[in-house]
Amino acid sequence: MIIERSSEWKEAFIDRLENREPWDSWTLYNMSYDVVKANLITDFTGLQSPKYLPNLTPLNHQLDVAETVIERMNGKAILADEVGLGKTIEAGLILKEYLIRGLVKKALILAPASLINQWIEELNYKFYIPAIAYKKNYSLDHYDVVVMSMDTAKKSPHKELIYAQDYDMIIIDEAHKLKNHKTKIYEFVQGLKKKFCLLLTATPIQNNVFELFYLISLLKPGHLGNYETFQSEFSASKHNLEHDEYLRELVNQVMVRNRRHDTGIEWTNRKVEIIPIQFSKEEKEVYDMILELKNISPVFSGAFSMITLQKEMCSSKEATYLTLNKMLQKCTEREEISYIEEIIQKLSSLEINSKAEKVYEIISKADDKVIIFTEYRASQVYLQWYLQTKGITSVPFNGKFNKSKRDWMKHLFKEQAQVLIATESGGEGINLQFCHHVINYDLPWNPMKLEQRIGRVHRLGQEHDVHIYNLAIDNTIEKNILDLLYVKIDVFEKAVGELDDILSTFKKSI
């Protein structure tokens, strides 16, 4: 293809100049005027973007969120819809709207690495936004819409390259991972220029109310005062606060949150229950010996190591053994070495796992696909072996898998295996609406992790009632975990709003 520079304009220009010809055409001018006028957006009410998106049919609540953020919140907001309601779609609509209106030219999306491909696909195919996934050899000068992992963005030299850009919009997915001002990713985001900023999280409070304070302070510094003012004004401590109605009013000025029952969509029900389990006599003996460790060995005097061991013993002897064996290497006194070796010996002789037996009982009654969540890789391996001995097919799912393997495990689960055994990473970025039984084999300290787990199946597209089974061993640390989970749920509901059932159908009064 040959491109030549035209010189016709020059001849016409000289002809008009020498012969005093008219310089323009009134007809052409009016046509040009009409075209420009037709493309003008004369007011800032209503959305223009949906008519440019043939591959997307947004739901009413998603359109309402986009309008609210643009018209009332000036493009700075926390999108906190419950899991599965389409926060990515809402963010895409807002970004597309600003692009169409010419108010955004460059945008940066930060997300966990496991969600980057999902963002790229949705932006390109649903929104016709030419987004690219950042690679280390890319020049940010040449790309207007970039999706990057949080871990990459906060490190040099990428951090400095991002700071050198003038991004009009910043979108942060799973924004609860920012936590507080002490984390590197929070510090990095705080340093970004934020003309427009969206923070996406279904769980703006994970463990304590101050996490919400820090998120809002990123969007609107001073909106809740400084840390000391916030703490004093609301008598706030980690797991308690007062004047919650006033706080919710302030929060709602920067946060949009839809609950499932607010969307007008007919949702299936959640059937949630806590299933108490009794240790066998032999398991209880080992558990009690572990409790005694803090009096036997200084290696176990720290609260963290003791709590870890207790939780592991409530999960599997395999998980417990790995930690005990590591600790054994640090012991020097003969007495403590002998005591730990005795525990290990008793562990080895255990023939049953009461919690695993309950899992088998639930799966047998369910007679359908089931997801099991455990906190320990060793327990994951054990459960896969145990279920195999019972003739139940299963596949593992954990954070060590790359995207291809994650997709393959999901495919195997959908087409062949009855059970998927996931570690915590399975609670993020994977949609499994074809399953409606969830077993929380190990309970986390954080109630929002339970919400994330359940949200993998209780989301748009789920056609069945969802059954959630929370396993807890009586007279162990799991009773303490349950009590603290209820306290944290109460704090969330005071500051943010009602939460769907995640522990049991009946909420415990605090």
Side-chain angles (χ1 to χ4, degrees):
M1 179 177 175
I2 300 174
I3 299 175
E4 295 180 348
R5 187 188 298 271
S6 171
S7 60
E8 290 181 9
W9 68 272
K10 188 175 180 181
E11 294 169 6
F13 177 80
I14 293 172
D15 188 48
R16 283 185 170 84
L17 191 63
E18 291 180 348
N19 299 315
R20 297 184 178 274
E21 294 287 333
W23 289 94
D24 51 32
S25 162
W26 183 245
T27 303
L28 290 175
Y29 172 80
N30 281 325
M31 289 173 65
S32 177
Y33 176 83
D34 289 340
V35 168
V36 172
K37 185 178 178 181
N39 286 323
L40 278 179
I41 300 171
T42 54
D43 59 54
F44 219 86
T45 58
L47 298 177
Q48 304 296 317
S49 53
K51 61 188 177 187
Y52 297 102
L53 303 173
N55 291 343
L56 179 69
T57 305
L59 300 171
N60 288 334
H61 75 272
Q62 294 166 343
L63 294 170
D64 290 343
V65 166
E67 282 194 29
T68 299
V69 170
I70 291 170
E71 294 175 12
R72 285 181 32 218
M73 297 180 174
N74 300 317
K76 287 188 175 183
I78 298 173
L79 307 188
D81 285 2
E82 289 185 325
V83 178
L85 294 187
K87 291 182 289 296
T88 309
I89 298 297
E90 293 165 358
L93 281 170
I94 296 165
L95 174 57
K96 185 72 174 182
E97 194 71 24
Y98 279 126
L99 286 167
I100 289 171
R101 294 173 184 271
L103 295 173
V104 167
K105 295 189 182 300
K106 288 176 74 72
L108 174 68
I109 295 101
L110 300 177
S114 60
L115 301 182
I116 287 177
N117 287 332
Q118 180 181 319
W119 269 98
I120 295 295
E121 288 171 12
E122 297 219 348
L123 290 175
N124 278 279
Y125 299 115
K126 289 183 180 178
F127 293 98
Y128 294 97
I129 296 173
I132 63 109
Y134 175 73
K135 303 292 182 186
K136 291 181 180 179
N137 58 343
Y138 284 9
S139 170
L140 292 174
D141 295 330
H142 301 149
Y143 302 99
D144 288 335
V145 182
V146 177
V147 184
M148 188 183 302
S149 83
M150 292 179 174
D151 286 337
T152 298
K154 69 184 181 183
K155 298 173 185 172
S156 296
H158 319 291
K159 176 174 68 174
E160 289 77 17
L161 294 173
I162 293 168
Y163 281 155
Q165 300 296 312
D166 287 319
Y167 286 109
D168 303 302
M169 173 169 274
I170 306 294
I171 299 174
I172 300 173
D173 197 5
E174 302 292 339
H176 52 266
K177 292 181 179 292
L178 301 179
K179 293 188 181 294
N180 57 54
H181 66 300
K182 295 180 181 179
T183 66
K184 284 187 177 180
I185 185 63
Y186 186 98
E187 184 183 343
F188 163 72
V189 172
Q190 196 172 32
L192 287 169
K193 297 184 285 287
K194 296 179 282 293
K195 178 180 172 184
F196 302 113
C197 183
L198 303 177
L199 303 179
L200 280 58
T201 173
T203 54
I205 295 177
Q206 290 267 307
N207 279 299
N208 67 70
V209 73
F210 296 110
E211 293 167 341
L212 180 62
F213 165 80
Y214 284 114
L215 281 183
I216 291 175
S217 296
L218 271 180
L219 287 178
K220 287 193 171 182
H223 184 70
L224 298 178
N226 60 25
Y227 182 90
E228 289 75 19
T229 304
F230 174 77
Q231 193 174 30
S232 170
E233 186 72 26
F234 300 102
S235 302
S237 61
K238 274 189 172 184
H239 302 141
N240 195 24
L241 57 88
E242 297 176 7
H243 312 300
D244 44 289
E245 289 185 12
Y246 177 46
L247 175 59
R248 270 207 303 273
E249 185 181 325
L250 289 174
V251 169
N252 288 337
Q253 292 173 17
V254 293
M255 185 177 78
V256 188
R257 182 172 184 259
N258 285 303
R259 299 191 63 216
R260 291 174 187 85
H261 302 299
D262 300 331
T263 61
I265 301 167
E266 189 172 336
W267 288 86
T268 60
N269 297 316
R270 282 188 185 185
K271 297 186 176 180
V272 193
E273 57 182 315
I274 296 171
I275 299 180
I277 298 166
Q278 300 296 328
F279 262 151
S280 68
K281 179 183 175 183
E282 293 77 13
E283 288 172 309
K284 185 66 168 64
E285 183 183 355
V286 175
Y287 186 84
D288 289 342
M289 289 182 73
I290 287 172
L291 287 179
E292 188 61 25
L293 266 172
K294 61 180 180 293
N295 299 321
I296 301 292
S297 171
V299 174
F300 295 92
S301 59
F304 179 77
S305 57
M306 281 305 301
I307 288 171
T308 299
L309 271 172
Q310 290 175 70
K311 286 191 70 183
E312 288 172 338
M313 185 59 206
C314 290
S315 183
S316 70
K317 68 180 185 182
E318 286 75 11
T320 314
Y321 169 79
L322 289 176
T323 300
L324 277 175
N325 198 47
K326 287 178 185 175
M327 292 298 197
L328 187 60
Q329 312 306 318
K330 300 178 181 178
C331 294
T332 55
E333 298 295 326
R334 185 64 234 169
E335 180 187 1
E336 57 187 8
I337 292 173
S338 298
Y339 190 79
I340 294 170
E341 286 177 342
E342 185 182 354
I343 297 177
I344 290 174
Q345 185 180 354
K346 287 185 179 294
L347 265 181
S348 302
S349 62
L350 286 177
E351 295 183 355
I352 65 169
N353 181 319
S354 299
K355 194 184 271 190
E357 289 186 347
K358 180 60 70 174
V359 166
Y360 173 63
E361 182 184 322
I362 294 169
I363 293 171
S364 300
K365 289 179 180 177
D367 195 28
D368 207 336
K369 293 191 180 294
V370 178
I371 301 174
I372 302 172
F373 283 102
T374 176
E375 295 208 326
Y376 305 104
R377 295 278 302 282
S379 297
Q380 182 186 46
V381 173
Y382 163 73
L383 284 169
Q384 193 170 15
W385 169 84
Y386 174 76
L387 292 176
Q388 186 180 21
T389 65
K390 301 291 186 180
I392 295 173
T393 55
S394 66
V395 292
F397 194 94
N398 62 58
K400 298 292 183 182
F401 295 169
N402 59 28
K403 183 183 183 299
S404 298
K405 191 165 184 179
R406 288 164 67 96
D407 290 344
W408 178 239
M409 290 298 119
K410 178 180 173 180
H411 172 78
L412 287 177
F413 177 43
K414 185 175 184 179
E415 301 297 332
Q416 297 180 27
Q418 184 183 354
V419 176
L420 182 140
I421 308 169
T423 56
E424 206 57 61
S425 64
E428 185 179 276
I430 182 173
N431 302 332
L432 302 163
Q433 296 95 319
F434 56 83
C435 172
H436 54 277
H437 292 276
V438 177
I439 299 175
N440 287 309
Y441 182 83
D442 297 317
L443 291 174
W445 291 103
N446 180 352
M448 297 304 112
K449 287 188 177 180
L450 287 175
E451 174 62 20
Q452 292 280 359
R453 293 174 181 181
I454 298 167
R456 296 307 100 209
V457 299
H458 197 217
R459 58 193 303 113
L460 290 171
Q462 178 57 260
E463 298 176 352
H464 302 274
D465 287 347
V466 175
H467 299 265
I468 299 107
Y469 314 91
N470 296 309
L471 309 189
I473 300 174
D474 283 341
N475 302 311
T476 68
I477 195 171
E478 293 190 330
K479 170 65 168 61
N480 300 338
I481 293 173
L482 277 174
D483 290 342
L484 186 55
L485 285 173
Y486 278 115
V487 169
K488 290 180 178 180
I489 289 170
D490 183 60
V491 170
F492 183 98
E493 294 190 329
K494 281 181 177 179
V496 178
E498 284 288 308
L499 189 67
D500 261 3
D501 299 331
I502 58 175
L503 280 178
S504 63
T505 304
F506 302 101
K507 289 185 169 68
K508 181 179 178 181
S509 58
I510 304 300

